[in-house]
Amino acid sequence: MVSNEELHVIGQSILHGEVYVSGAKNAALPILCASLLTPETIVLKNVPELNDVKTVIELLKQFGVKVSKNPKEIIIQSNDINNTEASYDLVKTMRASILVLGPLITRFGEAKVSLPGGCSIGQRPIDQHIKCLKAMGAEIQIEHGFVIAKSKRLKGTYIKPDMITVTGTENLMMAATLAKGQTILDNAACEPEIVDLANFLIKMGAKINGHGTNRIKIDGVDYLGGADYKISPDRIEAGTFMCALAATSGSITLLDVNPLEMTATLKKLHEAGLQIEIGNNWLKCNMYKRPNPVNINTSEYPGLATDMQAQFMAVNTIANGTSFIKENIFENRYMHVPELKRLGANIIIDGNNSIIKGVNYLSGTIVKATDLRASASLVIAALAAKGETRIESIYHLDRGYEKMEKKLSMLGANIKRISKRIAE
């Protein structure tokens, strides 16, 4: 027998209260991998308790990294690395595992990393990582499902990926920190998580300029030292809670958040009818009406993140009118649509476009989470629906949201986690 967990939600509660936003998953993962760049001690604060974080920590331990935790911080020591191979068993569960490639090859001159897995939201090839590392002098082959890379020392150069890639930008930026000479990374991603990683690397002694723009300059150094660093707040988690309020009603305050990183999301939520008061590190939100329909066109930062598309779709399902969504980043990111339809949503898909005709109400039923953000959209829809909804396969949710049901319960939602025993 094995254990399986699901969420039971009784919808149409009014949300009230305060909620602290956790550290950003998409910043924590590359920063954890960047600890491989130094033999000195790394202390990280505000690291979210997520399954993806646990996976990266297990991967680091596989290399010989010492990791210890206390309630406030994670302490990492990479001074006794005895292995530079990332096995399939861990890498298959999470695409971000490829982020160990850059640090391993630039510090140790070799790496053997299994081709990555993760959410089935679309193809996310690593060819740009490989192309650009080769331009820096790495010898790379793909054999038996592994990326095998070697280099005496990477050399700084001008590199320009054929497409904007967040993990590619992170991998190349980390690799360039210990390369010989200057690396200019053009067509770089501009996401706040890139800036967070760069700030962490700078604290370690890296010389980086231009992070947050599409042109980053890295002057390689011979050695990086330890650092004490706090992970930035998760803008996607904050946006998810605001979508939950937009789909229900009430008043909530988000604490420990960076509103400056959420401009596109806040604009769309305001269009939906959310009343938003903005502070330096907090957001107070009120909603006491049926949401307005909002059109969504996902794009790279500073545009609206693809990681918010499913949550906005859930809000649009009960909006007062028709809305349109165009998904421009991943080709298979409408996997939540059949499940939303089970709840009574009226959605038509045409390629990467969708048309959502708002209904008066959704009806609770049994649904299944298919990926991380799809899970969040089902939670939002369940909170808005009449009656009880059971959400299965919530291990996806635990990859990217820290104690979501507990936070929502504190806001007044009727939601609980149920463990079931099922046959193997």
Side-chain angles (χ1 to χ4, degrees):
M1 301 288 285
V2 295
S3 178
N4 185 43
E5 293 185 320
E6 58 187 36
L7 290 180
H8 288 202
V9 184
I10 297 176
Q12 300 199 315
S13 295
I14 297 175
L15 303 183
H16 280 289
E18 297 180 342
V19 62
Y20 279 89
V21 175
S22 300
K25 173 185 95 90
N26 291 336
L29 301 185
I31 287 173
L32 284 165
C33 294
S35 67
L36 289 165
L37 291 165
T38 178
E40 296 189 21
T41 301
I42 298 294
V43 180
L44 298 178
K45 298 179 174 64
N46 203 34
V47 180
E49 293 184 25
L50 306 170
N51 284 350
D52 275 8
V53 168
K54 292 176 183 176
T55 298
V56 169
I57 289 174
E58 287 305 310
L59 184 58
L60 293 177
K61 289 180 177 178
Q62 196 176 80
F63 300 137
V65 176
K66 300 180 185 70
V67 182
S68 59
K69 297 174 65 177
N70 63 49
K72 293 186 178 181
E73 59 195 19
I74 293 179
I75 302 164
I76 305 170
Q77 194 80 48
S78 303
N79 62 335
D80 193 22
I81 301 296
N82 52 30
N83 172 42
T84 56
E85 178 176 330
S87 71
Y88 173 72
D89 287 342
L90 284 174
V91 175
K92 70 179 180 181
T93 65
M94 187 184 64
R95 184 181 182 274
S97 302
I98 196 64
L99 289 169
V100 301
L101 179 62
L104 287 175
I105 191 172
T106 198
R107 181 178 166 201
F108 301 102
E110 62 180 17
K112 184 178 180 182
V113 181
S114 175
L115 291 170
C119 279
S120 55
I121 57 175
Q123 296 187 34
R124 297 187 279 184
I126 62 166
D127 59 315
Q128 298 304 306
H129 304 233
I130 293 171
K131 170 191 169 182
C132 295
L133 286 171
K134 282 183 175 180
M136 297 175 72
E139 297 178 7
I140 301 178
Q141 296 178 325
I142 297 179
E143 295 181 357
H144 308 294
F146 281 86
V147 179
I148 301 171
K150 294 183 179 180
S151 176
K152 289 184 179 179
R153 186 179 182 185
L154 296 176
K155 294 184 174 71
T157 187
Y158 174 84
I159 50 181
K160 184 178 182 179
D162 298 328
M163 57 184 289
I164 295 174
T165 160
V166 174
T167 54
T169 299
E170 292 165 343
N171 233 343
L172 297 168
M173 189 164 62
M174 289 187 284
T177 58
L178 293 174
K180 184 177 181 180
Q182 185 180 80
T183 299
I184 296 176
L185 176 55
D186 228 337
N187 205 26
C190 303
E191 271 72 3
E193 295 78 19
I194 300 285
V195 176
D196 212 22
L197 173 62
N199 289 337
F200 171 67
L201 294 170
I202 290 168
K203 202 161 187 182
M204 294 172 70
K207 296 181 179 179
I208 303 174
N209 290 286
H211 43 293
T213 75
N214 58 14
R215 186 179 176 91
I216 303 174
K217 293 182 181 179
I218 307 104
D219 290 295
V221 297
D222 295 328
Y223 184 86
L224 292 174
D228 190 317
Y229 194 78
K230 181 181 178 182
I231 306 293
S232 63
D234 195 323
R235 61 195 174 101
I236 304 301
E237 182 190 76
T240 299
F241 278 104
M242 294 174 78
C243 282
L245 181 66
T248 55
S249 65
S251 176
I252 66 172
T253 300
L254 298 170
L255 303 173
D256 198 12
V257 65
N258 186 349
L260 295 177
E261 298 176 350
M262 297 178 61
T263 301
T265 297
L266 295 181
K267 179 181 177 182
K268 287 297 176 182
L269 285 164
H270 179 72
E271 287 181 25
L274 205 67
Q275 297 177 354
I276 307 170
E277 185 179 348
I278 301 175
N280 290 332
N281 62 349
W282 54 267
L283 292 163
K284 185 172 182 179
C285 313
N286 297 292
M287 188 72 171
Y288 291 101
K289 54 172 281 187
R290 187 176 176 186
N292 305 317
V294 292
N295 298 329
I296 300 296
N297 201 334
T298 64
S299 64
E300 294 87 359
Y301 191 84
L304 190 80
T306 180
D307 279 357
M308 285 301 305
Q309 177 257 109
Q311 297 92 309
F312 272 105
M313 182 179 283
V315 176
N316 280 335
T317 62
I318 56 162
N320 188 22
T322 299
S323 57
F324 304 88
I325 293 179
K326 186 175 183 180
E327 172 55 60
N328 297 298
I329 307 300
F330 296 123
E331 74 278 7
N332 197 26
R333 202 155 201 179
Y334 285 142
M335 294 173 68
H336 47 284
V337 170
E339 303 304 308
L340 289 173
K341 284 184 174 182
R342 285 181 53 79
L343 290 159
N346 185 343
I347 305 170
I348 300 170
I349 300 296
D350 181 16
N352 66 335
N353 296 293
S354 61
I355 303 170
I356 306 99
K357 297 180 180 179
V359 297
N360 291 328
Y361 63 90
L362 301 173
S363 299
T365 188
I366 302 172
V367 292
K368 183 177 181 179
T370 55
D371 62 70
L372 171 54
R373 305 306 172 185
S375 305
S377 76
L378 296 179
V379 171
I380 292 168
L383 290 170
K386 288 184 177 181
E388 183 176 9
T389 300
R390 286 167 47 193
I391 305 172
E392 299 177 339
S393 299
I394 61 167
Y395 60 87
H396 289 292
L397 192 74
D398 295 335
R399 289 185 52 230
Y401 290 94
E402 183 178 34
K403 303 174 182 175
M404 176 181 257
E405 76 281 2
K406 291 184 179 179
K407 291 184 177 183
L408 286 169
S409 292
M410 291 174 61
L411 294 174
N414 192 333
I415 179 172
K416 58 184 177 181
R417 181 180 294 247
I418 302 295
S419 293
K420 299 199 314 180
R421 304 295 293 180
I422 61 173
E424 292 181 335

